[in-house]
Amino acid sequence: MRKTTRSVFAAACAALAVTAAACGTTSENTGQAQPQDPRQSCGGPDGKYTIGMSQANLAEPYRVRMDEDIRKAAEGVPQFEDVQFSDAGKDNAKQVSDVESFLTKQVDLLMISPNEAAPLTDVVRKAYNSGTPVVLLDRKVNGDAYTTYIGVDNVDIGKQAGEYFKNTLFPDGGKILEIRGLSGSTPAGERHDGFMRGIEGSKIEIIGQGDGDWERSLGQEKMDALLKAHPDAQAVYSHNDPMAEGAYLAAEAAGRAQQLKFVGIDGLPIEAGGIRSVEQGRLQATFLNPTGGEEAVEAAKKILVDCQPTEKKQTLPTELITKENAGEVYARLNQG
């Protein structure tokens, strides 16, 4: 559909004798974002569309669920004839190549959850400036060369986690270990910054940190080293649930699991997810981080089928999940 739509739009621009820039024919590699005309992307309800989804990795259960949510939601849109998925395997160069491949195929819309922000910024800008709508999920790139970003407010979710430590777990202060996500990904920095805001005015101290790159095995490895370096630690703030689980396993192996408190983020409503970990007592709490898969498909339908604009930023809701509400939240999120 994309090739036909672009040719029709180009003809319309020529007929109107407008400038090349207004028709979206400026350099795709320019350092600035070029405004997209929604007419260039939308073919209406009679069209058939191809979507490319570039995933940062499938080692994280969260990203597996994101792809599943996209696939399921797209099945409900008959115009979405083909949704293609790629897995970058945590390799920035591979993800750049994946996006380039989707552009060569002339997909009608690109979804991407970047592995790291800076290495993906240029190719995302190239896609956007070429006239391809770009939906970013969960992680951002630098600048504003994208159509819409869908995800939680990661600064806020970190702040809520910090407040939970300050107000509930350690009102008199405590010594905390932090297991961080991949350093070049935007949620890692934002969840740390938010946490620091949340514990302001308290006697809580982060005494050790390690980068677990969002994976359980690395979280376990980092926690093992942190426990040896900081035997006085009282709790763990983890940027996601798998790393929190890894930290728990390391503490369990050291005979200290019952002495520490563990808090994560994601709250996946699956048997191996964070909500069940809270129910079963390994985590004291987690914070819901919706994948945005359903919302991404809704945005794609707006752009390609309904010819409607989308918001530049779509902030998804979060909530604190503790043992008191874990069962209810799990059931609610699995309805339908």
Side-chain angles (χ1 to χ4, degrees), residues 101-167:
S101 178
F102 282 136
L103 294 179
T104 299
K105 294 176 183 178
Q106 294 192 332
V107 296
D108 295 289
L109 181 140
L110 177 68
M111 297 178 183
I112 180 169
S113 192
N115 185 54
E116 294 184 275
L120 274 298
T121 295
D122 285 347
V123 74
V124 170
R125 184 191 300 117
K126 176 183 177 181
Y128 180 76
N129 286 351
S130 76
T132 304
V134 179
V135 177
L136 295 181
L137 285 160
D138 179 58
R139 301 180 186 177
K140 302 170 188 172
V141 293
N142 298 330
D144 61 354
Y146 56 86
T147 307
T148 185
Y149 164 75
I150 298 172
V152 297
D153 182 332
N154 282 297
V155 174
D156 181 65
I157 209 171
K159 182 173 181 287
Q160 289 188 47
E163 290 171 342
Y164 177 70
F165 273 84
K166 179 172 67 176
N167 299 327

Side-chain angles (χ1 to χ4, degrees), residues 42-47 49 79 304-307:
C42 185
D46 295 330
Y49 306 96
Q79 293 89 351
L304 298 175
V305 179
D306 301 332
C307 302

